[in-house]
Amino acid sequence: MNIGEAAGRSGLPAKTIRYYEDIGLIKPLRDANGYRAFRESEVQKLAFLGRARALGFTIEDCRSLLQLWEKSDRESADVKRIAEEHLTTIEEKIAELTTMHASLTRLVAACAGDDRPDCPILLDLAAEEARPEPVTDDVR
Amino acid sequence: MNIGEAAGRSGLPAKTIRYYEDIGLIKPLRDANGYRAFRESEVQKLAFLGRARALGFTIEDCRSLLQLWEKSDRESADVKRIAEEHLTTIEEKIAELTTMHASLTRLVAACAGDDRPDCPILLDLAAEEARPEPVTDDVR
DNA sequence: ATCGGGGTTCCAGCCGCTGGAAGGTCAAGG
DNA sequence: CCTTGACCTTCCAGCGGCTGGAACCCCGAT
């Protein structure tokens, strides 16, 4: 099986597959003509990698997960630990984005968005007494 | 004012300030000895950039925002549009992360995390009938 | 013989810094 | 006057995870 078919079956672009070989995630054989020769097991690995990446695991996490997957005497605790750490990372990112989102939403709401130059968003970024107003209860 | 003080006042690392000059966000003067000479206005710009970056704006967005900030005949609509588009980007990222979070949380919960090899996380990544069980109502 | 659609390698670029090497400048202290 | 040490300078490389492109090879069909 050539790289094109492996790409089609695994759902990964051929470029990505070559890259994964480059960094040692997979080691396909070679045909006499130099073409990569993928076995079923490699396509499985590629699909595994695609799903792990879709869950946001780093390449290094993927490498570890792949090794654990291959190793029949693994301990599920090792897998779980990786997943839990990744979960924490995701939570941190979500928290950061949520904070940004809250600030931006407030600023966007306060901005008239018309042809006049006055803009609470720029005032906030300039930190010149940015807070729009002390607000009243009806806001929330 | 040298770069060290500008860094201290703006809250940005000196390295980042040099980089910002490199890509044309600021244009500090130079002393006779070749040292960058920062004016107050440049420190203000740097702080502005720091806050914009903290809100997750891209460098190109920052460039646009900075230009609008400088331009007294701006229209707040231009600022607002940039902010709204960025808000959409943030929302997409949050959505993506939230999806990952949900999947991972389910998988982590299903994994025993002990010394045995059986692991629903790996099963899911391998896509071999991953769903743990049809579950009953008490789960949620 | 030629053409199109595969495949190959290698290098560069994306984003936004960050680290490090190799060197210049300056004020203070011996 | 010399040294020390803290600052400053430029330039190059690397992070993650690909992605695009150039320049080339291979293979089957016409």
Side-chain angles (χ1 to χ4, degrees):
Chain A
M1 186 185 338
N2 285 348
I3 199 169
E5 195 181 339
R9 289 214 207 162
S10 66
L12 297 178
K15 276 269 183 187
T16 299
I17 297 177
R18 291 198 192 95
Y19 172 69
Y20 285 175
E21 181 185 9
D22 226 51
I23 61 173
L25 285 180
I26 50 162
K27 294 167 188 58
L29 302 173
R30 296 289 180 139
D31 283 338
N33 58 14
Y35 287 17
R36 287 169 184 80
F38 292 86
R39 288 153 292 183
E40 285 299 327
S41 64
E42 253 126 18
V43 175
Q44 297 307 313
K45 281 199 208 178
L46 289 171
F48 180 100
L49 289 168
R51 279 182 292 261
R53 291 288 299 132
L55 284 177
F57 285 105
T58 65
I59 289 286
E60 285 319 302
D61 280 348
C62 288
R63 195 188 299 276
S64 306
L65 290 171
L66 204 48
Q67 281 169 7
L68 287 166
W69 186 43
E70 310 253 75
K71 212 173 52 141
S72 55
D73 66 332
R74 67 184 162 251
E75 303 187 5
S76 68
D78 292 334
V79 181
K80 189 170 185 174
R81 189 178 29 72
I82 293 172
E84 280 171 340
E85 282 171 14
H86 178 42
L87 208 41
T88 302
T89 305
I90 288 177
E91 282 161 8
E92 287 165 0
K93 284 187 187 162
I94 290 177
E96 196 184 350
L97 287 170
T98 302
T99 303
M100 289 178 186
H101 191 271
S103 302
L104 264 174
T105 300
R106 183 176 58 73
L107 291 172
V108 163
C111 176
D114 55 19
D115 57 354
R116 288 170 301 165
D118 317 84
C119 177
I121 301 172
L122 293 180
L123 279 179
D124 185 277
L125 291 172
E128 301 164 1
E129 263 352 279
R131 306 296 160 269
E133 73 252 40
V135 297
T136 46
D137 287 335
D138 61 49
V139 170
R140 168 167 331 231
Chain B
M1 186 187 336
N2 285 347
I3 199 169
E5 195 182 339
R9 289 212 206 164
S10 68
L12 296 178
K15 276 270 185 189
T16 300
I17 297 178
R18 290 196 192 96
Y19 172 68
Y20 285 176
E21 181 185 8
D22 229 49
I23 61 174
L25 285 180
I26 49 162
K27 294 166 188 60
L29 301 174
R30 296 290 180 138
D31 283 340
N33 57 15
Y35 287 18
R36 287 168 184 81
F38 293 86
R39 287 154 290 182
E40 285 300 326
S41 64
E42 254 126 18
V43 175
Q44 297 307 313
K45 281 197 207 180
L46 289 171
F48 180 101
L49 290 169
R51 280 182 291 261
R53 291 288 299 132
L55 284 177
F57 285 104
T58 65
I59 290 286
E60 286 317 303
D61 279 348
C62 288
R63 194 188 300 276
S64 305
L65 290 170
L66 204 48
Q67 281 168 7
L68 287 167
W69 186 43
E70 309 252 77
K71 212 173 52 143
S72 53
D73 66 332
R74 69 187 162 248
E75 301 187 6
S76 67
D78 292 334
V79 180
K80 190 170 186 175
R81 188 179 28 74
I82 293 171
E84 280 172 341
E85 282 171 14
H86 178 41
L87 207 40
T88 302
T89 305
I90 289 177
E91 282 161 7
E92 287 165 1
K93 285 189 187 159
I94 290 177
E96 196 184 350
L97 287 169
T98 302
T99 304
M100 290 178 184
H101 190 271
S103 303
L104 265 173
T105 300
R106 183 176 58 74
L107 291 172
V108 163
C111 177
D114 56 18
D115 57 353
R116 289 169 302 166
D118 317 85
C119 178
I121 301 173
L122 293 180
L123 279 181
D124 184 277
L125 290 173
E128 300 164 4
E129 269 339 287
R131 307 295 161 273
E133 73 252 39
V135 295
T136 47
D137 286 335
D138 61 60
V139 170
R140 171 168 326 237

